[in-house]
Amino acid sequence: MTQSLLKIIDPHLHLFNLQQGDYQWLKPQNPPFWPDKKRINRNFIEKDLCLPVPIHLAGFVHVEAGFDNQQPWREIDWLQQHCTLPFKSVAFADLTTHVFEEHLRQLQQRSTVVGIRHILDEQAQAILSSHLIDRHFALLADTNFSFDAQLSLSDTPALDLLVAVANRHKSLRIIINHAGWPPSDTDKRAQEKWLTGLQKLAQCENIAMKLSGWEMSNRAWQPEQVAKLLRHCLSFFGDERIMLASNFPLCTFSMPYADLWNSYVTLPEISPQSLEKMAFNNAKTWYQF
């Protein structure tokens, strides 16, 4: 029996142009100090996104990769000039500075931009406590841009600030990156905090989860670990606020792009109907394709 075509939208990937962009984080003298970082310190373009039949890449969301944080629209201009697949862009914009509004105006002029990301991580509490936060999230909501939030769900003070922001700006779509950095199975305390964080976020209907980035904490991750995390996410969020994503090219630290997507689509936990939502429909809706 022939397999039917499975369309996906990859909602979290990065393309690199080392000749035009800065990418300070890719340089060997800068963090993160991964021993294998040089493997991704090269150009990646759209044609590197190869998938096996019957999986068909119908579109993607490009998330800012540190191309030029002073003029973030330069990354978008390069992408719009060279990409041929349907795609949307999540650009960088600094939430803590007064140039945010001007940068937002510049980004609004680029047709693919649908949101911004300012990586929170260790600075999450400080950034989300900024006196400019409410003004800037209101601007995002007014321009119909989403916010990609990258932080650990185990960071309870920061998470509570994010939930408060989500409740104050209910029309703003907030999308959690990399499953909110789920902790290892051995760290039970952090796991409890992560699950509590997941539950708090799920109560905000304007928040969705992107599942990706497994290789960042464990190069040898296994599909069973993802299946377990997916079950937790489904129990709180349901299948309409979860997106499966790659984090390409960083996913290649663990396996080729095609193998990653094959591991997702063969997870026994996912029904064909849920897979269609989490691999295609939800990204189409949340990122305004």
Side-chain angles (χ1 to χ4, degrees):
M1 190 171 109
T2 57
Q3 288 177 286
S4 57
L5 191 69
L6 175 65
K7 288 196 300 183
I8 69 160
I9 292 173
D10 187 339
H12 195 111
L13 58 77
H14 315 280
L15 303 176
F16 299 163
N17 178 339
L18 267 55
Q19 286 66 48
Q20 292 181 34
D22 296 333
Y23 306 104
Q24 291 299 315
W25 66 279
L26 280 177
K27 295 181 167 59
Q29 68 271 25
N30 295 331
F33 298 112
W34 300 326
D36 51 358
K37 186 163 76 169
K38 61 182 179 296
R39 285 180 49 196
I40 61 162
N41 191 9
R42 64 177 182 84
N43 290 344
F44 288 95
I45 57 174
E46 190 183 72
K47 73 174 179 61
D48 294 314
L49 304 169
C50 300
L51 290 172
V53 175
I55 309 172
H56 169 66
L57 186 64
F60 62 87
V61 178
H62 185 278
V63 179
E64 62 87 18
F67 183 104
D68 184 345
N69 286 354
Q70 306 311 309
Q71 301 176 87
W73 50 88
R74 287 186 59 234
E75 181 174 44
I76 312 303
D77 291 343
W78 165 63
L79 292 163
Q80 291 186 174
Q81 194 177 348
H82 290 94
C83 294
T84 58
L85 281 170
F87 80 98
K88 297 294 181 181
S89 307
V90 174
F92 173 78
D94 191 333
L95 284 166
T96 65
T97 67
H98 289 281
V99 298
F100 183 87
E101 195 166 351
E102 170 55 31
H103 284 191
L104 217 55
R105 277 199 293 272
Q106 288 281 354
L107 293 166
Q108 273 185 283
Q109 294 168 31
R110 275 74 182 172
S111 60
T112 65
V113 181
V114 292
I116 70 116
R117 177 173 79 162
H118 180 165
I119 290 176
L120 304 173
D121 282 348
E122 290 80 8
Q123 286 80 45
Q125 199 177 346
I127 293 168
L128 293 172
S129 301
S130 164
H131 69 286
L132 294 169
I133 278 296
D134 272 314
R135 173 177 171 76
H136 289 165
F137 275 122
L139 281 170
L140 285 175
D142 288 346
T143 55
N144 201 25
F145 277 7
S146 56
F147 178 66
D148 264 49
Q150 183 170 310
L151 79 167
S152 168
L153 305 195
S154 307
D155 182 351
T156 303
L159 188 93
D160 289 345
L161 286 168
L162 184 66
V163 167
V165 163
N167 284 323
R168 288 197 301 273
H169 304 277
K170 289 184 185 293
S171 65
L172 174 67
R173 296 181 313 284
I174 297 173
I175 300 155
I176 306 298
N177 287 189
H178 305 319
W181 300 129
S184 73
D185 289 343
T186 54
D187 191 343
K188 297 301 178 191
R189 178 99 177 92
Q191 269 200 321
E192 284 171 20
K193 285 183 173 180
W194 182 84
L195 281 168
T196 303
L198 199 65
Q199 196 169 7
K200 287 177 183 175
L201 291 175
Q203 289 164 10
C204 305
E205 291 184 1
N206 53 333
I207 295 183
M209 290 286 293
K210 273 193 299 196
L211 305 187
S212 61
W214 323 111
E215 70 289 334
M216 304 278 276
S217 52
N218 180 8
R219 298 287 199 255
W221 68 269
Q222 296 300 310
E224 307 83 69
Q225 294 164 291
V226 170
K228 181 182 173 185
L229 291 163
L230 178 57
R231 284 194 295 273
H232 288 310
C233 291
L234 283 168
S235 70
F236 293 121
F237 277 85
D239 61 7
E240 298 199 337
R241 289 193 286 149
I242 295 173
M243 292 170 258
L244 298 169
S246 72
N247 199 32
F248 179 87
L250 285 79
C251 62
T252 62
F253 284 134
S254 297
M255 62 182 71
Y257 186 66
D259 291 2
L260 172 80
W261 277 102
N262 205 46
S263 78
Y264 283 159
V265 304
T266 54
L267 282 171
E269 285 73 16
I270 311 180
S271 70
Q273 293 78 14
S274 287
L275 180 61
E276 188 179 357
K277 291 177 186 177
M278 294 190 288
F280 182 77
N281 292 344
N282 298 346
K284 186 180 177 185
T285 300
W286 282 79
Y287 284 110
Q288 306 183 74
F289 277 82

